[in-house]
Amino acid sequence: MKPRILIADDSRIVRATLIKHIEGMFEFREALDGEQAWEALLIDPSIRVVISDLTMPKLDGYGLLQRIRSSKISRIRNMPVVVVSGSDEQAERDRAKAAGATDLITKGIATGQLLSRLDILSKLVSTQNEFERGLEALVHRGDVDDQVELLSQEEWEARAEGMRISAVRQNRNFVVLNACIGLKHIALEGYPASPPASVINAIGQLLHRTVRQTDCVARTGEIEFTIATGSIHFDSARNFAERVCRAIANANLVKDGQMVLIASCGVVSVTECDEAGVNALDDMRKVARSRALLGLQNGITGVIGAEEATLLQQGESLPGIAVSGAVVQEKTSDLSIDLATLLRWIKEGKEDQVLAHIGKLSIELQPLVDLLLKQQRA
């Protein structure tokens, strides 16, 4: 079946023009405003991409984006949304991107360019779905406990260095991505635990099958993988990393409803490093890894680039975090924690986690303290 595109615009002329562009390569569905578009998304799971105007009655494009990115349905929440604009001003592009737009096109876009963008976006959705299904299948197979056949770190470094040198020589881009995987209980703060080996190995197999033949991937730690990719736009590399993070987090691998998988991916490009005066492969790998670990420590599933890392280091939340598909796990300090857990945390040196519950704990233990004091007086 041809991928289905939802076109939301109150102008009949604009809808007809867009349909003329995509007819033959895509199926389409029309909506006259944001409300109609939202209803279509709820009832039609075959929609792969949304094309939306920004100014519409009842619910405008920004309102539609807000609903999509905050939806509890992952199919809708991760839907690529292309915003149609009457101008190509950077301010409007930035606002649309902050609101959750995947791409922005002007109303005079050429047919070939539009078809190319829509084809890429629809394939992203298909690939993500295949990744999730494949990940679930692999982790439940009996042979995933075996070590996956990925490059060793030394082999990865040799191949990646050749890619980096070639990219610099030919003035092309080169990107290093580091993905760290964690397992977290939603009621507890602190650094996520390591997932089972079968889950990590399954993720490694899927990454090995997902990356292009020209890219290289290696397992570079107990819970981490590093990927080198060249001849790719930085935004495309971020989209790939984002897709992988979402697929890992959305895959039905954890049966306990209180436990969640976190997949944080640090990214760095050779262009960024050149601007900072640093371009050695080892430095790039360290930057990508530090960003991934920073995201993991903050319980974030998603991509951590330079801007995200700076905000997290300053203790700030990431603006528009739902836009990029990242999810900050809810932190809570007033849930009841059993005494054995708190004592174990003290032995492990996790005083900060204990202090987060000390107020409620002191109230609950006060009767026991009173009884001990009474006994001592006697």
Side-chain angles (χ1 to χ4, degrees):
M1 292 181 60
K2 298 174 184 176
R4 176 168 293 177
I5 310 295
L6 173 62
I7 301 174
D9 198 303
D10 59 325
S11 169
R12 182 180 60 82
I13 295 176
V14 172
R15 295 198 310 274
T17 302
L18 289 170
I19 290 170
K20 185 177 180 181
H21 280 315
I22 69 174
E23 210 168 11
M25 187 170 176
F26 298 96
E27 290 187 357
F28 59 89
R29 181 170 186 148
E30 299 178 68
L32 306 183
D33 53 56
E35 286 289 355
Q36 281 192 11
W38 176 247
E39 292 173 4
L41 286 172
L42 291 175
I43 65 175
D44 189 349
S46 67
I47 295 172
R48 289 290 176 266
V49 181
V50 176
I51 300 179
S52 175
D53 189 19
L54 289 175
T55 55
M56 296 183 291
K58 295 185 179 179
L59 182 68
D60 64 12
Y62 293 109
L64 178 61
L65 275 167
Q66 193 278 329
R67 285 194 190 179
I68 290 173
R69 297 304 179 220
S70 60
S71 173
K72 295 181 179 180
I73 304 172
S74 62
R75 168 182 64 84
I76 296 177
R77 185 174 63 250
N78 299 326
M79 181 80 62
V81 180
V82 179
V83 165
V84 181
S85 171
S87 68
D88 198 19
E89 293 183 4
Q90 189 61 41
E92 187 169 78
R93 183 179 295 273
D94 291 341
R95 185 185 174 194
K97 185 177 179 181
T102 313
D103 198 1
L104 186 141
I105 62 175
T106 56
K107 294 183 178 179
I109 188 171
T111 300
Q113 190 178 5
L114 175 61
L115 290 176
S116 176
R117 293 190 188 186
L118 293 178
D119 185 46
I120 291 172
L121 292 174
S122 64
K123 286 179 179 177
L124 286 180
V125 176
S126 299
T127 303
Q128 181 178 334
N129 293 338
E130 291 171 5
F131 193 100
E132 290 183 24
R133 288 193 297 269
L135 187 56
E136 292 177 23
L138 271 176
V139 80
H140 291 114
R141 273 168 42 185
D143 59 350
V144 292
D145 288 327
D146 299 332
Q147 183 66 33
V148 295
E149 296 181 2
L150 297 178
L151 296 175
S152 67
Q153 186 164 334
E154 292 74 19
E155 291 171 329
W156 180 90
E157 289 175 353
R159 280 191 56 182
E161 178 63 6
M163 294 168 61
R164 186 192 69 82
I165 292 173
S166 176
V168 171
R169 185 184 301 123
Q170 300 178 36
N171 197 28
R172 292 186 283 106
N173 198 23
F174 171 75
V175 180
V176 173
L177 306 93
N178 182 280
C180 288
I181 320 300
L183 188 63
K184 190 176 181 67
H185 192 288
I186 60 175
L188 300 180
E189 299 182 29
Y191 199 90
S194 298
S198 60
V199 172
I200 296 296
N201 287 340
I203 291 170
Q205 291 186 39
L206 261 295
L207 284 174
H208 181 65
R209 296 178 184 182
T210 302
V211 300
R212 303 176 303 177
Q213 290 185 348
T214 53
D215 300 336
C216 58
V217 57
R219 183 170 176 178
T220 50
E222 181 185 355
I223 59 168
E224 68 181 84
F225 299 91
T226 306
I227 303 168
T229 179
S231 300
I232 186 173
H233 192 275
F234 187 60
D235 286 343
S236 298
R238 281 186 64 103
N239 285 338
F240 169 75
E242 209 168 276
R243 186 170 75 252
V244 169
C245 289
R246 291 175 182 173
I248 293 171
N250 292 340
N252 186 27
L253 302 180
V254 183
K255 298 304 180 184
D256 186 346
Q258 298 298 302
M259 301 295 291
V260 293
L261 272 176
I262 297 171
S264 183
C265 189
V267 296
V268 62
S269 71
V270 71
T271 304
E272 177 190 343
C273 289
D274 284 343
E275 292 174 353
V278 177
N279 58 14
L281 177 66
D282 188 53
D283 291 328
M284 292 184 68
R285 186 180 61 81
K286 288 177 180 177
V287 170
R289 184 174 188 270
S290 67
R291 290 174 179 176
L293 290 173
L294 185 62
L296 198 66
Q297 291 166 359
N298 285 272
I300 293 174
T301 287
V303 180
I304 308 298
E307 294 181 9
E308 292 88 351
T310 299
L311 290 172
L312 289 174
Q313 288 167 345
Q314 294 173 348
E316 300 181 24
S317 59
L318 302 184
I321 197 164
V323 171
S324 64
V327 178
V328 178
Q329 307 302 333
E330 180 181 0
K331 295 184 177 182
T332 176
S333 60
D334 59 354
L335 297 177
S336 62
I337 300 294
D338 62 274
L339 183 59
T341 298
L342 293 172
L343 292 174
R344 176 170 57 81
W345 283 352
I346 292 174
K347 290 180 181 179
E348 294 173 352
K350 299 178 180 178
E351 290 87 357
D352 290 343
Q353 294 186 37
V354 176
L355 290 174
H357 301 272
I358 202 69
K360 186 172 183 179
L361 179 65
S362 61
I363 295 174
E364 293 179 346
L365 291 182
Q366 191 60 49
L368 178 60
V369 174
D370 291 341
L371 179 61
L372 289 173
L373 291 174
K374 184 177 180 181
Q375 231 180 6
Q376 289 177 355
R377 293 192 195 101

